[in-house]
Amino acid sequence: MQEKLKEIFEWFHRNPELSYAEYRTTERIRQLLTDAGIEILPYTLETGLAAVIRGEKKGPVQALRCDIDALPVTEETGLPYASETPGRMHACGHDFHITAGLGTAFLLRERKRELAGTVKILFQPGEESSLGALKMLETDVMKDVERIWGLHADPTNAAGVIGLREGAVAAAVDRFVITIKGVGCHGAHPDDGVDPIPAACAVVQALQTIVTRNVNAFHPSLISVTRIEAGKTWNVIPPEAWLEGTVRTMDRADRELFQKKTALIAEKTAEAYGAQAEAKWIPGPPAVINDAKMAEFAADTARRLGFTVVPEEQSLGGDDFSFYEEKIPGCYIKIGTGKGQLIHQPGFAVEESVLEPAAKYLAAVLMGAYIS
Ligand code: NI
């Protein structure tokens, strides 16, 4: 199967498409599944699709999530099958996820007789937008699913090393925008107005105290102000300033604390400077939390098949996989793809030797995953 998977992987790598524009990607997946005699569920998704393998033995309904979108990055790997589109690249390994998902589907199809239960393979669009999972959830594909598995390429580990742990592995990803209103005036007469810029600067500094003074020091979290904007020229004090940034947390109570404190610090600090602030909170996906039993089962399966298992690294990055986990238990497995440049970088590459082992491993997890 390795040769077949290599060919599949290289096609997807050559043809990356951005979030919600995965049209050719979806068509290719559909074709490969159809050729293998695998049933595709009849959902009307613009991009992405869900396949199903119905085992002949009784068992649970499980899902495997494979995201399919690429990033606006220009590839610099020099690979013979590099992206054919400048400014677009599978720099997060989702081409590997598609290939591993297809390989898993082929294997499960062959073993339908031994398969206990049903497996749905979700080829999900728009993961990089943080909201693609919601597109899948708008259909009723998850209605009867009892547990969900996810995978991610991991360039910090050698090819085939499996990273697993129970509990939080990726963060809740929230965004905030703060508008600070002052009163514009002549740059030489600040006393005639209310300068929003010193207020904005004070808010930026004070926000960091949420991490250092309010959150339990053993809880990973961060707040970053990533955009600050005010003014048009050198001799006019502007009437408004804007701050924008992101908050990452792994604990639900911390997430609520950040939301409250961000608004409070913005409003009260601005008030002390005579200005007015308004904080808008734009929630993204919650933290990715691995179910303890599923993580243990996946680690045992990996060891049984001869894979090396290491503790999965926690990240304050996010994955919309967590939207599925709001309703059912899930487990997000990291699969080493060869040490090299990190994901989202132009030199990120997946070692092709991992393709078949990854598919075999995921198929084994889904075949034996009856966890009571
Ligand atoms: Ni990714």
Side-chain angles (χ1 to χ4, degrees):
M1 191 169 69
Q2 173 67 7
E3 278 313 302
K4 183 178 176 184
L5 292 183
K6 254 177 80 169
E7 201 189 308
I8 290 173
F9 171 73
E10 291 179 8
W11 188 91
F12 286 110
H13 193 81
R14 260 191 225 109
N15 296 282
E17 293 176 298
L18 300 181
S19 303
Y20 307 117
E22 308 96 333
Y23 294 101
R24 292 178 68 207
T25 304
T26 302
E27 268 330 292
R28 185 81 174 184
I29 296 169
R30 186 185 299 280
Q31 192 59 54
L32 289 161
L33 288 166
T34 307
D35 290 349
I38 293 164
E39 180 185 347
I40 293 160
L41 291 167
Y43 297 120
T44 49
L45 286 163
E46 179 91 12
T47 56
L49 59 82
V52 65
I53 297 108
R54 301 177 201 276
E56 291 178 13
K57 290 187 178 168
K58 255 180 95 86
V61 182
Q62 305 182 80
L64 172 67
R65 192 290 295 262
C66 307
D67 38 9
I68 64 171
D69 52 333
L71 285 160
V73 170
T74 295
E75 181 159 351
E76 290 172 16
T77 59
L79 286 166
Y81 54 89
S83 166
E84 288 170 0
T85 315
R88 270 180 226 169
M89 178 191 174
H90 267 295
C92 200
H94 298 185
D95 48 353
F96 163 59
H97 305 168
I98 299 169
T99 309
L102 287 168
T104 304
F106 300 156
L107 288 168
L108 294 178
R109 170 77 176 73
E110 281 169 18
R111 294 171 182 208
K112 260 169 87 162
R113 288 219 169 130
E114 301 150 66
L115 175 63
T118 297
V119 173
K120 294 181 178 179
I121 306 203
L122 315 182
F123 294 93
Q124 181 210 296
E127 189 280 325
E128 298 295 352
S129 78
S130 279
L131 300 169
L134 298 179
K135 293 267 174 212
M136 299 298 300
L137 287 162
E138 279 168 18
T139 72
D140 64 356
V141 69
M142 292 297 291
K143 190 180 63 185
D144 54 351
V145 176
E146 291 159 67
R147 68 176 77 101
I148 184 161
W149 303 89
L151 76 148
H152 209 287
D154 178 6
T156 68
N157 274 316
V161 170
I162 306 294
L164 274 163
R165 78 160 66 224
E166 65 168 271
V169 292
V173 177
D174 297 319
R175 176 181 159 209
F176 62 86
V177 180
I178 297 169
T179 304
I180 297 172
K181 288 196 172 105
V183 179
C185 57
H186 194 295
H189 300 288
D191 51 311
D192 284 344
V194 175
D195 189 348
I197 292 177
C201 295
V203 170
V204 172
Q205 302 286 359
L207 286 175
Q208 290 305 327
T209 64
I210 306 174
V211 179
T212 61
R213 304 293 85 183
N214 302 127
V215 175
N216 181 327
F218 290 96
H219 292 192
S221 69
L222 67 79
I223 180 165
S224 293
V225 175
T226 53
R227 184 174 74 93
I228 175 162
E229 201 181 315
K232 295 244 187 309
T233 186
W234 66 281
N235 55 1
V236 176
I237 288 172
E240 281 186 325
W242 296 272
L243 305 174
E244 185 171 1
T246 184
V247 168
R248 305 297 170 101
T249 51
M250 287 183 151
D251 177 279
R252 189 183 291 178
D254 291 345
R255 193 182 189 191
E256 284 165 16
L257 175 81
F258 267 99
Q259 184 177 359
K260 264 190 216 136
K261 279 280 182 185
T262 299
L264 193 66
I265 286 172
E267 284 159 20
K268 297 298 179 190
T269 306
E271 194 184 321
Y273 283 77
Q276 279 177 315
E278 198 188 323
K280 200 171 141 202
W281 185 265
I282 302 124
V288 176
I289 312 279
N290 280 353
D291 177 78
K293 275 188 188 166
M294 291 175 72
E296 195 190 326
F297 175 81
D300 286 347
T301 304
R303 283 189 211 101
R304 217 176 58 227
L305 295 178
F307 290 95
T308 302
V309 180
V310 297
E312 182 167 357
E313 208 152 314
Q314 293 174 292
S315 162
L316 288 174
D319 194 301
D320 65 5
F321 181 72
S322 54
F323 282 124
Y324 302 104
E325 295 182 316
E326 285 187 311
K327 294 184 183 88
I328 53 164
C331 182
Y332 186 78
I333 305 168
K334 292 265 177 76
I335 301 181
T337 47
K339 288 186 186 180
Q341 270 195 26
L342 298 182
I343 54 171
H344 292 217
Q345 303 212 347
F348 169 76
V350 168
E351 275 182 31
E352 292 183 289
S353 64
V354 75
L355 298 174
E356 188 181 46
K360 284 187 168 164
Y361 168 59
L362 293 168
V365 167
L366 290 156
M367 293 279 305
Y370 201 84
I371 309 156
S372 55

